[in-house]
Amino acid sequence: LNKVLVSDSSILVGYLDRFYIYLSAESSAEVKDWFIESPFLETSPDIYNLQSLAEFLSTYQDQLLLITAMDDASNGLDESSHQALNSLGANSSNIRFRGSYILICYRNKKVFEEYSEDRVLEFSFPSGSRTESLKWKKSISLVSGGANSGSASSITLAGTELSPKKRGINIVVLSDDFNVLETAHFDTYESSYRVLDPNIP
């Protein structure tokens, strides 16, 4: 997705099979007619209501990020998402097709990462324990199941379920005091972008 092109009113934008298609003003009338009338092209979501996974991770990189994969999280994961995950110290190549994956990052640094291609991952971190530089102020439990192992996601904070439990990447963001700042879901089987609620500024 090229935000510069999408914001240019002289460029026609369509969406087809997870790809954005751009058509310039110089294109022939015949091609433009096909583009506008094609039953295969979907209307592109409002560019200003789209957020990429890379943008989300950049916004919250200094917080505590709890990430689980469900079903498949790899198919639509773009290069900028791989780079953003790797910049946090993760190995994004561990997000395998239909595999399970758990990642915990704290203050711009990976503190825990696990993956499996064929089994459900389940990890618990008791209140008061430590994982590298992170002291757990509340108990946390994480579950990830890829499509190869039943499709599951769970992120619980002191017994309260917070995961969106949807295909792709599920994220919970916590403050230093372990208060919930945001929960998010990116269907990275389809795309590394999510459509934000237009009522949220």
Side-chain angles (χ1 to χ4, degrees), residues 113-143:
E113 183 180 33
E114 258 326 306
Y115 75 95
S116 174
E117 295 189 40
D118 56 8
R119 64 182 177 86
V120 175
L121 298 175
E122 298 183 61
F123 292 93
S124 294
F125 304 90
S127 176
S129 64
R130 282 191 173 273
T131 304
E132 294 193 9
S133 61
L134 173 61
K135 182 177 181 180
W136 297 97
K137 297 180 181 178
K138 296 179 182 178
S139 61
I140 298 286
S141 293
L142 302 172
V143 177

Side-chain angles (χ1 to χ4, degrees), residues 20-31:
Y20 285 89
I21 300 173
Y22 308 98
L23 196 65
S24 73
E26 278 80 50
S27 300
S28 70
E30 183 179 2
V31 172

Side-chain angles (χ1 to χ4, degrees), residues 60 63-64 172-176 179-183:
Y60 289 112
Q63 307 298 331
L64 174 55
V172 174
V173 184
L174 301 179
S175 69
D176 282 346
N179 295 315
V180 180
L181 298 178
E182 187 168 354
T183 62

Side-chain angles (χ1 to χ4, degrees), residues 1-21:
L1 177 63
N2 187 315
K3 290 191 174 183
V4 175
L5 288 177
V6 173
S7 61
D8 185 338
S9 60
S10 68
I11 302 291
L12 294 174
V13 182
Y15 186 71
L16 177 64
D17 192 27
R18 298 188 299 108
F19 291 95
Y20 285 89
I21 300 173

